[in-house]
């Protein structure tokens, strides 16, 4: 609930996020010793690592065909099931090239609302169109509507004012100032310095952690600030992208989108241009392509927001595409106190907790207990394990 933690640091009673966005608790921790570890790569580029015995809830192409058949006959049934990575990696493709194993998509995670001086929307605007490399805090949006929204937020802070500077081309530059309080320090400058952002050039920008783990509304406001400034939507309303010269900021936008139950992936290129008949190279541009949940519009700027066409098909989804052995490493399994048994790991990937009874036996074998030892397993656990197996 407060950000990322290492699997190896988890203890019984610790809080983790379940796939539905709720907070749940760790009920068991099972060190597995050194095992062959595999890197799992998904269709949007998301990655995580686990051992061959780790469990996943997946839906196969056969499952989807059965589900569609039942839907046509007026019956709704789910055909996903729990499978080990070993089973998944030996059946990655259905037929000649169809991706086979689809995993559940994380739901909206409502982290606790954070107490921040700079409103999330304003932070998004400053990361997009802001100039924060010097002592002043300025931004140069292409739309007056963005400046009007920023002004509403800074009006809530005593002493701050928005000053319009000279136009550069068609765009107007705005400066966030202390207003009439001569000699007073600008709290925005101090806060940006505290976050490590003051002095950053465009290629060095990033999203501070406190903003990545804010409430749902805070994260949506942050996304709006970013997308209103440096976001793009195609004329048909289908393609949504974010552009940045900062690789770290692009990675942070991907993480922000993932935390809102959607998917995003990055491509990059170095643009070229002519100057005095000489071909030159610009800064590398990182393009974040976004597949958003239909109930969340990634823009608040009217001209962009009205163009977005909410997806009815091709919703955010993840398929296994690669499973690669990366050698032996220490492994650990956990169990959680949630009816779905699903929790969130790297890149907001939804994975399954352990089959408790099976791992207890494996753990005992790892520490040298003889196989003939009798294990007393609660019937509820055993029943659940049978379902999972």
């Amino acid at each position: 609930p407060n950000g990322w933690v290492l699997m190896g640091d988890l203890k019984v009673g610790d809080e983790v996020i379940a796939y539905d966005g709720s907070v749940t608790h760790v009920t068991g921790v099972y060190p597995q010793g050194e095992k062959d570890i595999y890197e799992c790569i998904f269709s949007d580029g998301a990655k995580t690592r686990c051992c061959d015995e780790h469990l996943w809830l997946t839906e196969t192409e056969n499952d989807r065909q059965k589900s569609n058949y039942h839907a046509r006959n007026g019956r709704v049934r789910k055909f996903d099931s729990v499978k080990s990575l070993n089973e998944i990696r030996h059946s990655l493709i259905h037929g000649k090239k169809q991706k086979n194993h689809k995993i559940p998509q994380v739901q909206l995670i409502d982290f606790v609302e954070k107490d921040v001086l700079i409103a999330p929307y304003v932070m998004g605007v400053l990361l997009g169109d802001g100039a924060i490399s010097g002592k002043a805090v300025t931004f140069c949006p292409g739309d007056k509507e963005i400046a009007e929204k920023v002004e509403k937020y800074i009006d809530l802070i005593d002493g701050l004012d928005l000053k319009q500077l000279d136009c550069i081309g068609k765009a107007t530059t705005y400066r966030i100032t202390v207003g009439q309080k001569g000699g007073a320090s600008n709290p925005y400058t101090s806060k940006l310095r505290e976050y490590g952002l003051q002095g950053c050039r465009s290629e060095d920008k990033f999203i501070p952690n406190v903003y990545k783990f804010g409430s749902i509304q805070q994260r949506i406001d942050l996304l709006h600030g970013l997308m209103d400034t440096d976001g793009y939507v195609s004329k048909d309303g289908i393609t949504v992208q974010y552009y940045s010269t900062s690789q770290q900021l692009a990675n942070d936008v991907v993480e922000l989108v993932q935390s809102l139950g959607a998917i995003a992936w990055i491509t990059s290129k170095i643009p070229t241009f002519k100057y005095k008949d000489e071909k030159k190279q610009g800064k590398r541009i990182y393009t974040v392509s976004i597949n958003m949940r239909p109930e969340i519009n990634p823009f608040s700027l009217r001209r962009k927001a009205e163009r977005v066409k909410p997806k009815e098909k091709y919703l955010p989804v993840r398929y296994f595409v690669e499973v690669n052995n990366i050698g032996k490493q220490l492994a650990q399994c956990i169990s959680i106190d949630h009816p779905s048994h699903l929790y969130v790991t790297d890149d907001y990937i939804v994975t399954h907790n352990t089959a408790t009874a099976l791992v207890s036996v494996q753990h005992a074998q790892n520490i040298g207990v003889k196989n003939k030892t009798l294990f007393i397993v609660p019937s509820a656990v055993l029943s659940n394990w049978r379902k999972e197996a």
Side-chain angles (χ1 to χ4, degrees):
N2 298 308
W4 296 106
V5 293
L6 295 173
M7 169 61 80
D9 291 340
L10 286 175
K11 304 180 296 298
V12 171
D14 283 353
E15 293 179 329
V16 292
I17 299 292
Y19 98 101
D20 61 1
S22 65
V23 177
T24 189
H25 292 85
V26 175
T27 56
V29 175
Y30 308 97
Q32 297 295 293
E34 211 173 58
K35 301 180 79 74
D36 279 323
I37 298 297
Y38 296 84
E39 183 174 65
C40 306
I41 304 176
F42 294 85
S43 48
D44 63 333
K47 298 177 183 179
T48 192
R49 297 176 177 185
C50 66
C51 65
D52 227 9
E53 294 79 25
H54 186 73
L55 301 178
W56 296 84
L57 181 68
T58 82
E59 179 189 86
T60 65
E61 182 60 25
N62 284 335
D63 293 334
R64 290 186 284 279
Q65 290 174 4
K66 290 177 185 176
S67 182
N68 290 336
Y69 171 79
H70 281 265
R72 287 194 298 270
N73 288 277
R75 289 177 290 176
V76 178
R77 286 184 60 188
K78 298 189 80 175
F79 290 91
D80 47 8
S81 61
V82 178
K83 309 169 186 70
S84 70
L85 181 68
N86 182 277
E87 182 181 350
I88 292 168
R89 68 185 180 88
H90 286 102
S91 55
L92 280 177
I93 303 298
H94 177 85
K96 292 185 178 180
K97 58 180 181 179
Q98 176 66 42
K99 292 187 284 288
N100 196 22
H101 291 279
K102 181 174 80 170
I103 65 171
Q105 193 65 24
V106 68
Q107 302 302 298
L108 288 172
I109 299 175
D110 197 4
F111 295 117
V112 176
E113 183 173 337
K114 300 300 186 291
D115 183 14
V116 291
L117 173 72
I118 303 175
Y121 182 81
V122 180
M123 176 60 76
V125 170
L126 294 178
L127 291 174
D129 281 347
I132 54 178
S133 58
K135 293 181 179 180
V137 181
T138 65
F139 63 99
C140 186
D143 294 79
K144 187 177 180 181
E145 184 184 336
I146 295 174
E148 290 171 349
K149 286 196 68 172
V150 169
E151 189 168 29
K152 287 180 181 178
Y153 283 113
I154 67 170
D155 278 348
L156 299 174
I157 302 174
D158 181 46
L160 282 185
D161 192 15
L162 191 64
K163 183 179 181 181
Q164 183 175 321
L165 305 180
D166 294 335
C167 291
I168 301 176
K170 293 183 179 180
T172 302
T173 298
Y174 298 85
R175 181 176 179 178
I176 300 174
T177 70
V178 186
Q180 303 301 318
K181 293 187 177 182
S185 61
N186 189 332
Y188 265 38
T189 304
S190 302
K191 209 64 184 175
L192 289 169
R193 188 179 301 112
E194 181 182 318
Y195 291 143
L197 282 169
Q198 187 68 25
C200 282
R201 298 170 299 177
S202 59
E203 61 267 32
D204 303 319
K205 290 180 178 179
F206 60 91
I207 298 176
N209 278 338
V210 66
Y211 287 87
K212 289 194 284 187
F213 302 114
S215 67
I216 291 173
Q217 191 57 57
Q218 284 181 317
R219 299 197 317 276
I220 291 175
D221 288 346
L222 174 62
L223 182 65
H224 283 166
L226 290 159
M227 298 299 290
D228 285 357
T229 51
D230 283 346
Y232 162 83
V233 55
S234 59
K235 289 183 179 180
D236 61 8
I238 301 298
T239 301
V240 174
Q241 295 174 324
Y242 179 77
Y243 300 100
S244 178
T245 55
S246 167
Q247 184 175 14
Q248 184 57 58
L249 181 54
N251 290 336
D252 290 341
V253 170
V254 169
E255 185 177 341
L256 176 65
V257 169
Q258 290 170 344
S259 77
L260 293 169
I263 59 173
W265 58 98
I266 298 174
T267 55
S268 70
K269 67 177 182 179
I270 298 177
T272 58
F273 62 94
K274 273 192 174 183
Y275 178 73
K276 293 183 178 179
D277 294 328
E278 184 181 351
K279 189 176 182 180
K280 293 182 175 289
Q281 288 188 335
K283 295 178 182 178
R284 181 174 290 275
I285 298 289
Y286 297 90
T287 301
V288 182
S289 298
I290 298 171
N291 186 355
M292 209 69 206
R293 299 167 64 98
E295 68 268 33
I296 297 178
N297 193 315
F299 302 95
S300 68
L301 183 63
R302 194 175 300 110
R303 68 177 178 84
K304 292 182 180 180
E306 290 176 350
R307 186 182 287 180
V308 174
K309 185 176 181 181
K311 295 185 186 303
E312 296 178 1
K313 298 192 299 183
Y314 309 113
L315 298 172
V317 66
R318 280 173 167 162
Y319 291 90
F320 274 91
V321 292
E322 285 185 52
V323 179
N324 302 314
N325 190 315
I326 59 171
K328 291 187 178 294
Q329 294 180 9
L330 291 174
Q332 178 170 291
C333 297
I334 62 170
S335 58
I336 63 169
D337 183 23
H338 193 274
S340 72
H341 309 292
L342 301 173
Y343 67 94
V344 175
T345 186
D346 305 293
D347 291 340
Y348 290 91
I349 294 166
V350 173
T351 191
H352 200 281
N353 74 174
T354 180
T356 308
L358 181 63
V359 172
S360 296
V361 174
Q362 180 65 52
H363 178 53
Q365 290 173 348
N366 286 344
I367 62 175
V369 179
K370 294 182 179 179
N371 289 339
K372 66 181 181 181
T373 300
L374 175 65
F375 285 88
I376 308 300
V377 181
S379 60
V381 172
L382 186 59
S383 172
N384 183 55
W385 171 59
R386 282 176 177 152
K387 288 180 191 174
E388 294 172 349

